[in-house]
Amino acid sequence: MTSSSPILHAARAMLVALLCLLWTVSVSASEVQVKWVPDGDTIHLQDGNRVRLLGIDAPEMGRDGGPDQYYARESRDYLRRLIDGRSVRLETDGQEPDRYGRLLAYVFLPDGRMANEVLVEEGLAFFYPHSHQDREFQRRMLEAQKRAIMARKGFWPRILSLPQPPTGWMGNRRSKRFHHPESHYAARISPKNRVALFSLEQAFLEGYAPARTSSPWPDAD
């Protein structure tokens, strides 16, 4: 037992070093120049790349003549004031670009704040969790969202007062998405992963995000 202790300590040290190396490899950072901000969770860079802010979802600007979603312009304009034409730092976690070819990144402002978190804290975007996200990042984003909800910032007063199904929403504990209870996607949630969410406020406070097919988001007035 005593003779194997140095070997055990050496093995643990090697494991810690390996984990640190893997983190360094998986997270990369770069300084970039912002060219244009088309919406509240996307930026275009001077080098031609497009970036999607990780872990958030902002109201959508109208496409092909369709209407903007509620608070889409406010979200976009706020992000423009934060970073339009400025240098920002991107950090990526090794994910592939999304289906639109956008890089997925954490965007850090010149003052060190994370734009992803700022938008959520101001009620201009909501936390959009994924299982691969860093746990500390998820904690920070959910806390920022809770502060925005409790202070009724940004879009939250109207969103939380929207009509909802009489039985509430159906959450999926595994995916952290909530669905309309009559959606066929809700019916496919396994019993062990079903969570009854009696209000939108409960859903968002507990870190659930609306499924694309069941989003309650209204159009802009």
Side-chain angles (χ1 to χ4, degrees):
M1 186 75 159
T2 304
S3 61
S4 65
S5 182
I7 298 175
L8 182 59
H9 287 312
R12 286 175 176 169
M14 289 179 63
L15 178 59
V16 170
L18 178 59
L19 290 174
C20 290
L21 178 61
L22 289 174
W23 172 253
T24 302
V25 171
S26 63
V27 177
S28 60
S30 59
E31 294 286 336
V32 296
Q33 185 77 18
V34 177
K35 180 180 180 181
W36 183 53
V37 177
D39 59 40
D41 53 32
T42 308
I43 61 177
H44 292 195
L45 307 179
Q46 289 287 358
D47 63 9
N49 281 313
R50 295 174 297 155
V51 176
R52 176 68 158 79
L53 278 68
L54 271 171
I56 70 170
D57 202 4
E60 298 288 341
M61 299 293 296
R63 292 188 175 89
D64 301 322
D68 299 338
Q69 286 189 328
Y70 175 64
Y71 237 72
R73 290 183 181 272
E74 290 87 343
S75 179
R76 179 202 62 188
D77 292 347
Y78 188 90
L79 185 56
R80 282 181 175 176
R81 291 194 295 272
L82 280 180
I83 65 173
D84 206 4
R86 298 182 181 180
S87 292
V88 296
R89 189 175 88 255
L90 301 184
E91 287 191 5
T92 60
D93 61 2
Q95 292 185 66
E96 295 294 322
D98 69 7
R99 58 179 175 166
Y100 302 109
R102 298 176 297 185
L103 303 175
L104 302 174
Y106 310 105
V107 178
F108 289 89
L109 307 173
D111 62 9
R113 293 180 298 161
M114 186 196 299
N116 315 49
E117 185 176 15
V118 172
L119 288 163
V120 171
E121 189 155 25
E122 294 299 322
L124 297 157
F126 58 84
F127 173 40
Y128 202 76
H130 280 285
S131 59
H132 56 71
Q133 291 167 351
D134 177 72
R135 292 294 179 89
E136 175 60 17
F137 171 76
Q138 290 187 329
R139 184 195 67 78
R140 285 177 57 178
M141 297 298 281
L142 184 54
E143 287 302 311
Q145 180 157 287
K146 288 178 179 179
R147 290 192 294 272
I149 289 173
M150 300 313 293
R152 292 301 194 263
K153 286 187 174 182
F155 50 56
W156 289 117
R158 181 178 178 190
I159 295 303
L160 298 181
S161 66
L162 291 172
Q164 61 182 35
T167 58
W169 304 85
M170 179 63 68
N172 186 324
R173 184 179 286 107
R174 182 177 181 182
S175 68
K176 299 299 284 188
R177 301 289 178 266
F178 66 84
H179 304 259
H180 192 285
E182 296 180 4
S183 163
H184 73 278
Y185 290 102
R188 292 165 58 183
I189 301 172
S190 67
K192 68 177 182 179
N193 288 325
R194 287 179 190 167
V195 179
L197 300 167
F198 300 104
S199 69
L200 287 174
E201 183 163 1
Q202 179 192 358
F204 283 109
L205 283 174
E206 293 185 11
Y208 288 83
R212 302 295 186 191
T213 55
S214 295
S215 176
W217 221 269
D219 291 338
D221 293 330

